[in-house]
Amino acid sequence: MTPKELRAFCLSFDAVVEDFPFNPETSVFKVLGKMFALTNLGARPLTVNLKCAPEDAVRLRAEHEGLIVPGRHMNKRHWNTVTVDAGLPDRQVREMVEDSYDLVVAGLPRAERLRLDRP
């Protein structure tokens, strides 16, 4: 997956905005103000921090040693850092991005979830 494809996929979800609260290089993708992905699209290798259910986070790290690691600068129980351009199938990266988005949406108030059509 290229940086352009990653950015486009993150922005394809309902109510997502790209923000730069840390510096001009770090893209933070948020749904209704809550972060679900954080990346430097110009970095090589291309990595993205994604929210993950704790039990899935541990499993994914074991299955993809070196490509999926505990989230850098994040709560390591709930976030993984995924190396996007180092051999993981694009389909799997998309699933992890979508799972991250869904986990964040699940934590939103019910009225906001309904507005997003993700009860």
Side-chain angles (χ1 to χ4, degrees):
M1 178 176 282
T2 68
K4 185 177 178 178
E5 291 169 333
L6 176 61
R7 181 177 184 273
F9 189 66
C10 287
L11 290 171
S12 71
F13 297 101
D14 292 340
V16 170
V17 297
E18 181 179 18
D19 194 13
F20 299 89
F22 304 114
N23 59 54
E25 295 83 33
T26 305
S27 295
V28 177
F29 297 95
K30 298 178 179 181
V31 54
L32 299 178
K34 302 291 184 181
M35 178 173 56
F36 73 94
L38 178 136
T39 184
N40 178 339
L41 293 168
R44 296 295 173 269
L46 177 61
T47 62
V48 61
N49 285 359
L50 299 170
K51 192 165 180 107
C52 194
E55 61 278 0
D56 292 334
V58 172
R59 178 184 53 78
L60 287 166
R61 292 171 198 162
E63 289 175 1
H64 304 283
E65 192 172 335
L67 296 179
I68 301 176
V69 297
R72 290 188 190 108
H73 308 296
M74 309 296 278
N75 179 325
K76 310 237 181 292
R77 185 165 184 251
H78 295 277
W79 289 84
N80 278 339
T81 297
V82 178
T83 303
V84 174
D85 58 358
L88 286 175
D90 287 356
R91 175 191 53 76
Q92 186 169 19
V93 173
R94 284 188 200 95
E95 287 173 1
M96 288 186 285
V97 171
E98 186 171 9
D99 288 348
S100 180
Y101 175 86
D102 288 342
L103 279 169
V104 171
V105 168
L108 294 172
R110 184 172 186 273
E112 291 180 351
R113 288 194 315 267
L114 291 174
R115 196 172 76 207
L116 294 173
D117 195 29
R118 289 185 180 256

